[in-house]
Amino acid sequence: MEPLWKLAYLLEPASLALIFTAVLVVFASAQRALNYEKEMERNRDFSESSITLDSSQALMIPIASSCSLLLMFYLFASMSHLVTAFTAVASASSLAFCLSPYVFYINSKLGSVDPMVTRCCCRPFTRMQGILVLVSSALVIAWLVSGHWILNNLLGISICIAFVSHVRLPNIKICSLLLVCLFVYDIFWVFFSERFFGANVMVSVATQQASNPVHTVANTLNLPGLQSITKKLELPVKLVFPRNLLGGMVPGNTAIEFMMLGLGDMVPSTLGPVIFTSWVRSELNELWDGPRPIVNDKTRLMEV
C-alpha cells in the first residue's frame, strides 16, 4: 500500500482543477442533454433528435472502439492529418451546439430580431447561427495555431457535451451493460495489451501528438509566421492541466508535464449516483427497464 504522503499530489492546484472540471463537465452534459430534448419536443423538430442505443448497439461500441484503437496505434503517423482535420470539424460543430443556448438567450434579452440569411440543407440559416459558426471556427483555428491546453480542454468539453446530448441510453440495464463492457475494454487495453502487441496500446495512443496540418501547409507555402504555429497537437479527447498550475509543483517533475483525464473515464462516475437516487425514490425498477411505451388509439388502430 502506498504511503499517504504520496497521495498529497491530489491537493495540488492541477489535481483540484482537474477534479472540479470533470464534475462540472458531467453536470453540464446532463443539463444540456435535458434542455436539448425539451427544446426538440417544444419545437416538434425531430430531424436532429437524439440517437437511442439498444443492447446490440451498446455491445458494438467496445468492439468498434478496439478496432479504432488498433488503427490509431499502427497507422496514426500516416493518418494524423486526416484525424486532426476531422477533429477540427467535429470540434467546431460541437462548440457551436454548446454555445447556441447562450447566444440565443442574449439575443432574446436584447430583443433583436434574428433574420434568415439563406437556406442550408433545406433549413433556414439565420444571422445568429452565422455568428456561432464564425466564433466556433475562430476558436478552432486558434487551437490549430497555438495548441494551447485551455483551448484543447474547451474543445474536448464541447465534444463530450454534444455526444451526451445526441446519444442516449434508454434504461439503466443497457447503461450497465455498456459500462461493464467498457470496463473490460479499458482494463484489457491498459494492463494486458502489452503482452499481445509489445506496447501499452491505450497509453501509446492517448499520449501521441498529431501532426498539425496548418503547420504543414504553412511550411509548404513558406508563409510568414511559421514559427508561431505549433508542429504537434494534443487531440481534444482528454482534459489536461499543467502540473505547475498556479505555482503548484510535484517534486521531481518538470514544468512541461501535464495531468490528464480521458473524457471517457468520467462516464462511469455518473452511474452510481443515478442508481442510488432511483433506489431512494423507489424508481429503480422503472429506470432499470425503462419507461413503458404509451400506446394511444392511433397506434392501436395501426397495429390492428
Side-chain angles (χ1 to χ4, degrees):
M1 184 177 179
E2 293 289 336
L4 292 179
W5 65 268
K6 289 189 176 181
L7 300 179
Y9 74 92
L10 292 177
L11 300 178
E12 287 287 323
S15 301
L16 296 177
L18 188 63
I19 295 172
F20 175 78
T21 305
V23 173
L24 188 63
V25 169
V26 172
F27 175 79
S29 300
Q31 191 69 28
R32 182 66 179 100
L34 180 61
N35 293 336
Y36 178 67
E37 184 177 9
K38 292 180 178 179
E39 180 183 344
M40 293 296 101
E41 292 178 354
R42 189 186 316 116
N43 298 333
R44 297 183 180 276
D45 182 10
F46 299 99
S47 60
E48 296 182 359
S49 58
S50 58
I51 303 171
T52 302
L53 302 179
D54 56 22
S55 57
S56 60
Q57 292 171 330
L59 287 174
M60 286 300 298
I61 290 180
I63 299 176
S65 300
S66 299
C67 295
S68 301
L69 199 64
L70 283 176
L71 190 66
M72 297 281 286
F73 179 69
Y74 287 111
L75 302 177
F76 186 82
S78 59
M79 58 185 301
S80 60
H81 285 92
L82 180 62
V83 173
T84 305
F86 176 79
T87 303
V89 174
S91 301
S93 59
S94 300
L95 193 58
F97 172 79
C98 296
L99 295 178
S100 59
Y102 306 101
V103 172
F104 288 112
Y105 175 78
I106 296 174
N107 184 64
S108 63
K109 287 298 182 182
L110 296 177
S112 58
V113 295
D114 188 16
M116 184 182 71
V117 178
T118 182
R119 298 188 69 87
C120 180
C121 300
C122 301
R123 295 180 61 115
F125 187 79
T126 63
R127 182 176 60 188
M128 297 306 299
Q129 290 175 332
I131 294 176
L132 275 174
V133 171
L134 291 178
V135 172
S136 303
S137 301
L139 289 173
V140 171
I141 292 174
W143 168 70
L144 288 172
V145 172
S146 65
H148 199 277
W149 62 270
I150 294 180
L151 294 173
N152 182 85
N153 290 349
L154 180 64
L155 298 183
I157 291 171
S158 64
I159 291 175
C160 182
I161 293 176
F163 179 83
V164 172
S165 299
H166 288 86
V167 179
R168 303 291 180 87
L169 298 170
N171 51 55
I172 295 183
K173 180 170 63 177
I174 294 180
C175 182
S176 302
L177 176 65
L178 175 60
L179 290 181
V180 169
C181 293
L182 288 177
F183 178 76
V184 176
Y185 156 85
D186 204 31
I187 292 297
F188 173 78
W189 290 111
V190 172
F191 297 103
F192 298 100
S193 60
E194 189 172 358
R195 300 182 181 181
F196 299 94
F197 301 97
N200 192 318
V201 177
M202 181 71 76
V203 175
S204 299
V205 173
T207 55
Q208 283 187 108
Q209 291 184 322
S211 300
N212 191 351
V214 175
H215 184 276
T216 303
V217 172
N219 188 30
T220 303
L221 300 179
N222 198 19
L223 297 178
L226 180 64
Q227 294 78 12
S228 62
I229 303 176
T230 180
K231 294 182 179 181
K232 298 289 184 178
L233 287 170
E234 291 281 356
L235 295 180
V237 294
K238 53 185 177 291
L239 298 177
V240 294
F241 285 89
R243 288 185 177 272
N244 64 338
L245 184 68
L246 300 179
M249 195 65 189
V250 178
N253 288 321
T254 60
I256 60 173
E257 289 187 349
F258 286 84
M259 298 189 68
M260 62 181 65
L261 176 66
L263 297 178
D265 296 333
M266 297 184 290
V267 175
S269 61
T270 61
L271 183 60
V274 170
I275 293 178
F276 178 76
T277 304
S278 60
W279 176 74
V280 171
R281 296 181 177 181
S282 300
E283 298 174 351
L284 182 58
N285 291 333
E286 180 182 355
L287 290 178
W288 181 258
D289 294 320
R292 296 180 180 179
I294 300 176
V295 181
N296 51 27
D297 295 336
K298 182 177 179 181
T299 304
R300 191 178 295 109
L301 288 174
M302 290 179 63
E303 290 178 354
V304 172

